[in-house]
Amino acid sequence: MDKLEDLLHALKAAAEPTRLRLLAICARSELTVSEITDIVGQSQPRVSRHLKLLCNAGLLIRYREQHWVFYRVPRSGAGAGFAASLLAQLPAADVQLELDRRRVESVLQRRAEAARALVEGDGPGAARVEDEATVDALILTSLRGEAIGELLDIGTGSGRMLRLLGEGAGRAVGIDISRAMLMLARSNLHAAGLDHLLVRQGNMYQLRFPDCSFDTVTIDQVLFEAEQPGQVLREAARVLRRGGRLLLVEFLTADTAADTSAPADDCVAIDRRRLDGWFDDAGLALEHWQQLPGHPYPVFLSVARREPRDKKVAA
Ligand SMILES: C[S@@+](CC[C@H](N)C(=O)[O-])C[C@H]1O[C@@H](n2cnc3c(N)ncnc32)[C@H](O)[C@@H]1O
């Protein structure tokens, strides 16, 4: 911390038993006020007051998702280092902290079950890749040779791409419109020990990130259900840094001009010609691709690069 008064402020905020517990609790996962209230067993107004003090001192950060407010320990900024050093001092065998740890786990367990119940029948439906492990291995191979850097996963769903690539990323964010999916992704990331990766509610047609924010963007099995796939690719290109890479995993039909069969339920018929047009329009140059077995259509796994200059990408 740069100023002495900021340090004193942070010390005062932390020097209270419940607030120290809250710091340890929020270091384990992003939690809502009502989840935190359940864990510490105190009244909500009291817990909210403590959380506010910790936020004002920079030891916690909060963000809103619809009607819910989540709290977590910051990973960057002035309070992050101080919070990390306080957390490192906490006694490993403290009975109260151990009890809190177990309560966090059971809250997250309940959250995971609720999320799974909510998304049941709401997932990718009948569309699926034939062999997920092979697709995962091919994704890793296709992106090898360059750092993942800052990663955005669009339509993160269960958080599969974040789990696969997030560990190697400098920063990783997944966005999804569905709160149920976000809860599921959070639970999956927690189970994988990847709580530091962020999932946020967002609309893929209007991403809330400035131009040129990410080195790698992934879109995995999202376009086939999208109303405006071309707009999703334009947004992906806009937030990619120049020279950044887009990894796209998508179901692709044969050429729809020649194909007279009706598209499978819930699947927009995307063919190679249309995809090439959208790539071109977004200023993305296809670098390499391969086709793999999938249902109801084959899966097209590709890496495209945002063109380094010239083409103006429409917002
Ligand atoms: C078929 S799932 C793919 C999920 C993910 N790749 C996975 O393997 O778990 C498509 C995802 O896109 C999300 N989605 C649909 N419309 C969206 C939008 N407008 N903005 C952001 N996400 C959206 C859905 O909620 C869903 O989680």
Side-chain angles (χ1 to χ4, degrees), residues 27 35 44 47 76 79 108 114 134 136 147 191 220 251 272 276 305:
E35 288 171 336
Q44 187 148 329
V47 170
S76 58
L108 293 176
T134 303
D136 287 356
D220 171 37
F251 299 99
R272 183 58 197 277
D276 284 348
R305 199 176 286 276

Side-chain angles (χ1 to χ4, degrees), residues 39-40 51 55 62 82 88 107 111 149 151 153 163-164 175 182 188 195 213-214 217 224 247 260 278 286 291:
I39 294 162
V40 291
L51 290 169
C55 286
R62 46 175 271 150
F82 185 62
V107 160
R111 191 202 267 187
L151 168 73
D153 182 35
R163 277 176 284 151
L164 186 65
I175 67 111
L182 291 170
N188 288 339
D195 286 290
S213 303
F214 295 95
V217 172
F224 75 102
L247 175 101
T260 51
W278 292 326
L286 190 60
Q291 197 148 305

Side-chain angles (χ1 to χ4, degrees), residues 173-201:
V173 190
I175 67 111
D176 204 288
I177 197 115
S178 153
R179 191 175 134 75
M181 281 304 202
L182 291 170
M183 289 309 245
L184 182 64
R186 274 193 195 100
S187 304
N188 288 339
L189 291 174
H190 178 74
L194 295 169
D195 286 290
H196 60 289
L197 307 184
L198 298 180
V199 287
R200 293 286 178 265
Q201 193 161 40

Side-chain angles (χ1 to χ4, degrees), residues 155-158 160 176-178 181 202-205 220-221 225:
T156 200
S158 63
R160 196 169 83 89
D176 204 288
I177 197 115
S178 153
M181 281 304 202
N203 184 350
M204 61 194 179
Y205 300 114
D220 171 37
Q221 302 166 57
E225 288 180 335

Side-chain angles (χ1 to χ4, degrees), residues 138-139 141-142 248 288-292 299-303:
L138 287 171
I139 289 172
T141 312
S142 335
L248 176 73
H288 53 89
W289 61 274
Q290 50 204 304
Q291 197 148 305
L292 305 155
V299 173
F300 180 78
L301 191 160
S302 64
V303 176

Side-chain angles (χ1 to χ4, degrees), residues 99-111:
L99 195 60
D100 288 347
R101 254 195 296 277
R102 279 195 257 130
R103 285 185 183 146
V104 170
E105 287 312 312
S106 85
V107 160
L108 293 176
Q109 181 75 31
R110 283 207 303 276
R111 191 202 267 187

